[in-house]
Amino acid sequence: MRISLAISLVSLSTATYAFVPHHMQQPLSIKPILSSTTVKSPFKTSNNNVNLSRTARKADVAYPVDGTCDPFDPESSEFCTVDPEEIDGSLNRTVRLTVLFALWYVLNIGYNIGNKRVLNALPLPWTAATVELFFGFPYVAFLWLSGLRKSPKLSFDNIKTLSSQAFFLAATHVSGVVSFGAGAISFTHILKATEPVWSALILAIGFGEFLPLPVYLSLVPIMGGVGLASLKELSFTWLSFTAGTISAVTSAAKAILSKKVLDGKPMGENLTPANMFAVLTILGFLFILPASLLMEGPAKISAAYTASLAAGYTKAQLIRLLGVSGFLYYLYNEVAFLALSEVAPVTHAVANTVKRVVIIIASILVFRNPVSKLGAIGSAIAVLGAMGYSVAKSKCKPKPKVA
């Protein structure tokens, strides 16, 4: 419970700023597209620039197109945000964003707690992650078949282009679920806060792109806080630590891939950010299915299922737990696009920090995981460091790429 007090201070100090009103003339949208438009890799404007390409305007999507940000992962520190000068202080917009943020937090908490309950009932993280990715398909299939959203049109070459992103999405998800199953939810989220560290490392080693000194300095509290939290984590396991770290690394790689590798490549028709997430989820499911069957084959699944029934769970309960967890996973990502596509960099950083805080506190309250005082302090430092990185990065331009 002591971590709740430490991290609540973080929440109270940041929540005030989470709903600062900003405006974007062409926000990312999951609404149906007005026309069928072939969309190339949409990266040509700066991170905080709402200028749109002609193609993007036709598609009613705010696509940045210069490779400086990732428009397809709203919770990433690399996500495309809005210029702070584009501010609309209207009451309607403020209320709408407040409701969206609240819904995003609730769905996020629901997924994290639901996912942990699935793993407590049925300790098969690979199977659970695979089923969760699958449950997005019926949802988007309904939207596409009903005409509520234009369905994407992809060639085989388009699918090959997107396959690497789908792989990283699947890897990020399954490693996060494995970490959840092997340790505490709170610890996994602290490990995920190291994503900026890996982003900076991948950019430097893989692309020769170096960030300004203030951005690198903001990484110090992340590493120090995670180190302290790990040393004092009472439920520490190496499996949880390794899987959580892999989740952070693959998430960073996915965001950078969106910015750097897909630049200029054709990616199909009607590929809005929401449709992109749907396609990547479906492809990710196909990627993860063979690995899941290899890691947890029919014999292991049968044994775990029998043990769950013996522990008092029913077949209907297990199906419901998996279904709800999978639906919440997909739905909170959909809401994240709506909630985060119209905010400035600082607001985005604060919102993600508050989200991490409320998930950590909620998981501790629900599952009553014991946490040491130093572990709580380390967690708070790491979470604040992640926010500091996003703020510093939004205010500093990276150094030119080394030739």
Side-chain angles (χ1 to χ4, degrees), residues 35-313:
S35 62
S36 178
T37 308
T38 300
V39 180
K40 290 189 177 182
S41 182
F43 308 105
K44 296 285 182 205
T45 56
S46 67
N47 189 36
N48 296 318
N49 192 326
V50 294
N51 294 327
L52 303 180
S53 68
R54 185 173 301 174
T55 301
R57 287 189 183 279
K58 287 182 180 180
D60 193 27
V61 179
Y63 277 156
V65 280
D66 68 348
T68 61
C69 61
D70 174 15
F72 300 122
D73 187 357
E75 295 186 293
S76 169
S77 59
E78 307 295 331
F79 186 60
C80 304
T81 50
V82 183
D83 193 321
E85 295 181 0
E86 300 292 328
I87 297 175
D88 174 15
S90 67
L91 179 61
N92 287 341
R93 183 182 177 281
T94 301
V95 171
R96 178 172 58 84
L97 283 183
T98 301
V99 172
L100 284 173
F101 271 87
L103 182 59
W104 177 46
Y105 291 156
V106 169
L107 292 172
N108 241 307
I109 292 171
Y111 164 69
N112 280 267
I113 292 175
N115 181 257
K116 183 65 175 179
R117 284 179 169 164
V118 167
L119 297 172
N120 287 342
L122 202 64
L124 298 169
W126 283 83
T127 301
T130 305
V131 172
E132 286 166 357
L133 287 178
F134 169 78
F135 264 89
F137 179 71
Y139 170 71
V140 295
F142 168 75
L143 294 179
W144 292 336
L145 293 174
S146 65
L148 293 174
R149 182 188 300 170
K150 284 281 188 179
S151 60
K153 298 178 181 179
L154 304 172
S155 67
F156 182 69
D157 286 339
N158 298 148
I159 293 174
K160 287 195 298 183
T161 299
L162 296 173
S163 61
S164 56
Q165 276 242 310
F167 170 80
F168 283 115
L169 180 144
T172 298
H173 183 57
V174 71
S175 55
V177 174
V178 170
S179 183
F180 281 159
I185 291 177
S186 54
F187 184 53
T188 299
H189 277 281
I190 297 305
L191 294 172
K192 286 187 174 184
T194 63
E195 179 188 335
V197 177
W198 304 110
S199 293
L201 189 63
I202 294 171
L203 283 172
I205 296 176
F207 298 93
E209 184 175 307
F210 296 92
L211 304 173
L213 181 60
V215 180
Y216 283 122
L217 292 177
S218 71
L219 300 177
V220 175
I222 299 178
M223 294 184 289
V226 170
L228 183 59
S230 299
L231 286 173
K232 298 300 179 179
E233 172 61 35
L234 299 180
S235 60
F236 179 89
T237 67
W238 279 109
L239 178 58
S240 179
F241 176 83
T242 303
T245 301
I246 291 174
S247 183
V249 173
T250 52
S251 179
K254 177 179 174 294
I256 292 172
L257 188 71
S258 290
K259 299 191 301 178
K260 303 296 183 182
V261 179
L262 300 182
D263 187 17
K265 295 181 179 178
M267 297 196 299
E269 297 181 16
N270 301 331
L271 209 60
T272 63
N275 272 348
M276 168 69 94
F277 178 73
V279 170
L280 293 181
T281 300
I282 294 170
L283 293 177
F285 164 75
L286 297 177
F287 267 119
I288 201 178
L289 182 59
S292 179
L293 292 175
L294 181 64
M295 296 295 295
E296 299 169 349
K300 191 171 183 178
I301 292 174
S302 178
Y305 176 70
T306 301
S308 296
L309 295 180
Y313 291 97

